[in-house]
Amino acid sequence: MRRTAETQRSWKGAALWSRGFRPFFLAAGLWAVAAVAVWPPFFTGEIAIPTAFSPVDWHVHEMIYGYGSAVVAGFLLTAIPNWTGRLPVAGWPLALLAGLWISGRIAVFFSAKVGWLLAASLDTAFLLIFATVAAREVFAGRNLRNIKVVVLVLALAVANAGFHFEATASGTAVFFARAGLALIVFLILLIGGRVVPSFTHNWLARKNIAVRPAPFGKPDGMVMLLSGLALISWIADPDGNLTGILSLVAGLANFWRLSRWRGWVAWSDRLVLVLHVGFFFVTLGFLVAGAHTVKPDIVSPAATVHVWAIGAIGTMTLAMMTRATLGHTGRGLAASPATQFIYLAVMVAMALRVAMEFVPNLSVPMMYGAAIAWVAAFAGFATVYGPMLVRPPRRT
C-alpha cells in the first residue's frame, strides 16, 4: 500500500478533494464568517432568517453542529490515515461528504419553509454518515485504540438529532446545546491532550532543550475521567452544587496538566504557544462554570458557554486548522503576522462576549464588537489560508 504522502503527491484531481482538511476547513472558515455576520441583526430583529429555530437556537446550533462538525470532520479525515496507514478519503466520496454538510446548513437555514423533519434529517445525516466512514477506517486499519474518538463523533450525531427534537418539542434546545458543546470540549481535552504536548516536544527537541513535556500517564487519565464527569454534571444541572465542585476541581486539575507541557518555553513560536492558550481556555471554562454555581448573581451561565465556545473551541480550532494547512500544503510551520492577527482577533471576540455578561448596559455594542472580532479572525483565515486549501501543495 502506498503511503499517504505518496498518494498526495500522485493526486491528479482538484487539490480541494485530495484530503479531508481542505474542503472542511475552508467550509468551516467561510461558515464561521457568514453565520456570525448575520447573528447580531438576527438576534435584535433587524433581519429575519427563514429558520424554524429561534434566533438563539439557530446561532448555537450552527456554531456547534455546523462549524464544529466541519472542523472535527476535517481534522479526523486527515488524522485517521496517519493513525491507520490507510489511504485518505478523497475524490467523489469526500465531495459527497462535504455536499452533505452544506445541504445541512441550507436545510437548517430554510427549515421554516422545508419543515423541521426534512431539515433535521439532512442535517443529522452528515454526522451519522461521517461517523460510519470514520468507524470503517478505524476498524479496517485495526486501530481500535482510537475508536473512542469515533464514539464521541457518534455521540455528537445523536446530540444533534436530540437538538432538533428538543427545539421542536419545547421551543428551545438548552439541554442538547450543552451536550453538543460539552462533547466538543471533551474532544479538545482528548485530542488536544495528544497534540499539544507532542508538538511542544518536537519544538523543544529542535531547540535542543532537554526538559520535555510530561508524557501521558495515569494521572492524565484520572483528569480526563474527572473532566468527563464534570461535563456530564454540567449538561444535566449547570446550577447544581455538585457541578460546581466537579468543575472547579476539573479546572484546577487540567491547569496542572497543562503546566506539565512547558508551554511558556515556546513563547517565540506562536504556532505552538496558541495550542497552549486554547487548552488554557478549556480549563478556564471549568473554573467559570464552578464560579457560576458559587456566585450565580455575578457569573452568568453564558459566561461559561462563551469561554468554551469562543475561547477554547475558537482558539483551538483555528490553531489546528492553521497548523495543519501549513504542514500539509508544504509550507513552513511558522505563524506569519497575519496568522497571529487571526489568533488575537478570536481572543478579543471571547473577551468582549464574556465581558458583555458583566456590563449589561453595553450588551448590544459588545455583542456587535465580539461578532466583528470573530468575523475578522475567520475572514482572515479564509483570506490567508483559503488559497492554500484550494491549490496543490508546494513541492519540496
Side-chain angles (χ1 to χ4, degrees):
M1 179 180 293
R2 288 184 302 174
R3 294 179 301 171
T4 297
E6 294 170 340
T7 303
Q8 180 80 0
R9 286 193 293 269
S10 63
W11 176 259
K12 301 300 182 183
L16 185 64
W17 310 116
S18 63
R19 294 294 297 274
F21 74 93
R22 290 177 176 272
F24 281 107
F25 286 178
L26 181 60
L30 293 174
W31 188 237
V33 172
V36 173
V38 302
W39 157 239
F42 181 35
F43 177 73
T44 57
E46 297 174 52
I47 63 172
I49 290 176
T51 180
F53 287 150
S54 69
V56 171
D57 280 350
W58 179 80
H59 172 63
V60 170
H61 182 273
E62 291 308 290
M63 289 295 97
I64 296 174
Y65 298 104
Y67 169 78
S69 69
V71 177
V72 169
F75 176 81
L76 291 181
L77 286 171
T78 306
I80 287 175
N82 295 328
W83 298 345
T84 63
R86 287 172 56 79
L87 297 179
V89 176
W92 67 263
L94 178 58
L96 287 177
L97 272 176
L100 190 57
W101 179 86
I102 292 170
S103 71
R105 309 287 59 75
I106 295 171
V108 170
F109 191 89
F110 291 102
S111 54
K113 296 184 180 295
V114 303
W116 80 270
L117 185 58
L118 177 59
S121 299
L122 287 171
D123 183 46
T124 56
F126 167 71
L127 277 169
L128 287 171
I129 292 174
F130 171 63
T132 302
V133 170
R136 181 199 67 186
E137 294 300 306
V138 168
F139 278 111
R142 298 180 180 178
N143 185 249
L144 298 185
R145 67 183 292 268
N146 285 309
I147 196 64
K148 52 185 171 290
V149 177
V150 177
V151 171
L152 288 172
V153 174
L154 183 59
L156 191 64
V158 173
N160 189 19
F163 190 105
H164 283 275
F165 181 80
E166 183 185 3
T168 301
S170 62
T172 188
V174 292
F175 180 85
F176 283 103
R178 291 196 298 271
L181 179 60
L183 282 166
I184 295 183
V185 167
F186 194 78
L187 272 168
I188 291 176
L189 288 170
L190 179 63
I191 297 174
R194 298 182 189 181
V195 301
V196 177
S198 174
F199 291 149
T200 307
H201 179 280
N202 294 342
W203 186 86
L204 292 171
R206 289 196 303 271
K207 297 295 183 180
N208 294 317
I209 298 175
V211 182
R212 308 290 168 79
F216 187 93
K218 288 184 179 179
D220 298 88
M222 293 301 296
V223 174
M224 289 293 297
L225 177 61
L226 175 62
S227 301
L229 292 174
L231 288 168
I232 291 170
S233 183
W234 179 76
I235 294 169
D237 183 15
D239 305 319
N241 291 331
L242 178 61
T243 298
I245 294 170
L246 288 172
S247 296
L248 290 171
V249 175
L252 293 173
N254 276 292
F255 184 76
W256 167 80
R257 190 182 179 202
L258 177 63
S259 72
R260 300 167 73 225
W261 298 338
R262 298 181 55 78
W264 64 89
V265 180
W267 173 263
S268 61
D269 189 333
R270 302 296 193 265
L271 280 181
V272 175
L273 180 66
V274 72
L275 292 168
H276 292 263
V277 174
F279 202 94
F280 168 75
F281 287 140
V282 178
T283 72
L284 182 61
F286 280 111
L287 297 176
V288 175
H292 164 70
T293 66
V294 177
K295 292 289 185 180
D297 54 327
I298 298 176
V299 183
S300 73
T304 300
V305 167
H306 288 97
V307 169
W308 272 334
I310 303 178
I313 296 175
T315 303
M316 188 62 83
T317 54
L318 277 171
M320 292 305 301
M321 290 194 296
T322 52
R323 186 182 188 93
T325 301
L326 291 170
H328 287 287
T329 60
R331 272 86 177 173
L333 291 177
S336 66
T339 299
Q340 295 180 53
F341 168 80
I342 291 167
Y343 299 155
L344 179 61
V346 77
M347 295 176 202
V348 169
M350 184 209 68
L352 287 172
R353 184 57 188 84
V354 173
M356 167 184 158
E357 296 301 313
F358 298 92
V359 192
N361 292 337
L362 297 175
S363 60
V364 172
M366 281 190 163
M367 178 177 62
Y368 272 91
I372 290 169
W374 174 278
V375 168
F378 284 91
F381 174 80
T383 301
V384 176
Y385 288 86
M388 302 181 200
L389 293 167
V390 300
R391 293 172 182 165
R394 289 179 175 175
R395 304 300 180 184
T396 56

